[in-house]
Structure formats: C-alpha cells, structure tokens
Amino acid sequence: MKVVVKHIKGMHFQGEGSTKVMTNIDTSVTAGGSGHGTNPMELLLMAIAGCSGMDIISILEKMRVKVQRFEMSVEGDRASDHPRVFKDIEVVYKFWGESLSEDKLQRATQLSMGKYCSVASMIDKAANLTYRIEMNSTN
C-alpha cells in the first residue's frame, strides 16, 4: 500500500491513494493553516470510523440486518504535552431502523473493533479506544 502526499501551499497538502481521489490535508487558520482540509489528527479519527464502519455494514448485510441509517461520531482526548498523542478515543455507533436486533448490532461492532478493523487495532495499542452503540427508531 502506498500513498503520495504533495505540498500545495503553507500548511495545505493533498494526499492521493490507489483510487486517485484527492484528500485535502490542512490545519485551521488559527494554527497557521488556510483551513482548506482536514487536519491529520482528525483524519486518524475518521480512519477508525471508516474502517470499522465498512466492517460493520458488511457484517450486518451477511446477518440480513436492514439498517436505514448509520453514522458514527468519534471523539479523541489528546495529551497536553507534545507530541500530543490521543490518550482516549470513543466511537459512538448510531443506528436507525425498524426492529433492529441489539444483539446483532453488538456482535457486528464487537467483531469489527476486536478482530477485523486494522486501524482500530493499531490505535488501540497507543490509546484507550472504547465504543458504544445507540439504537434509534425510524418512527
């Protein structure tokens, strides 16, 4: 696996992976950037959600669980001293649908976070990574 990251201007970079889709990487104006992209630490949190989210959708499809809406929020608490690594990260999985099986949602999430998601597995070695599930009715 290989990515290429090119400097654009100031703190603005563009990353490109195998799909050739450009990802803008930057920092806020207050931190010296132009605000034209996502900062690297946010990208890391997004990577956890993207990786585990893909696993969960795949597992739920195999379980024949119909989810009408699915989203994740990820919040990380960073150390105050440099290199300001994440100390604690919590992923909240939010599911919407009718007659959702909490057991199946728990199982799919557990399989992703405990076995399949390589991003979560790597991050869990450096930070306290936790998760929880919220079920919502579509009514």
Side-chain angles (χ1 to χ4, degrees), residues 3 18 24 33 35 46 48-49 58 72 84-85 87 92-93 97 110 118 123 126 129 135:
V3 300
S18 61
N24 286 297
M46 288 180 193
I48 296 168
S58 176
M72 297 151 281
R84 301 210 50 232
V85 298
K87 299 183 305 178
V92 180
Y93 295 96
Q110 179 184 33
S118 52
I123 297 303
L129 180 59
M135 293 175 41

Side-chain angles (χ1 to χ4, degrees), residues 9 28 31 34 39 45 60-61 66 69 72 89 94-95 102 116 132-133 137:
K9 181 180 178 184
S28 67
S34 60
N39 80 48
L45 298 179
L60 290 176
E61 284 176 355
K66 303 267 191 245
R69 184 173 154 204
M72 297 151 281
I89 299 172
K94 300 175 184 180
F95 298 92
E102 186 173 0
Y116 294 116
R132 62 186 166 90
I133 292 174
S137 173

Side-chain angles (χ1 to χ4, degrees), residues 16-74:
E16 179 182 3
S18 61
T19 63
K20 304 297 180 196
V21 173
M22 294 297 212
T23 300
N24 286 297
I25 306 165
D26 203 344
T27 192
S28 67
V29 174
T30 58
S34 60
H36 288 125
T38 306
N39 80 48
M41 295 302 276
E42 289 172 334
L43 283 171
L44 191 60
L45 298 179
M46 288 180 193
I48 296 168
C51 178
S52 65
M54 289 177 196
D55 290 340
I56 290 166
I57 288 297
S58 176
I59 294 165
L60 290 176
E61 284 176 355
K62 290 174 184 159
M63 292 178 170
R64 294 182 171 34
V65 174
K66 303 267 191 245
V67 175
Q68 292 178 340
R69 184 173 154 204
F70 172 45
E71 65 183 51
M72 297 151 281
S73 62
V74 186

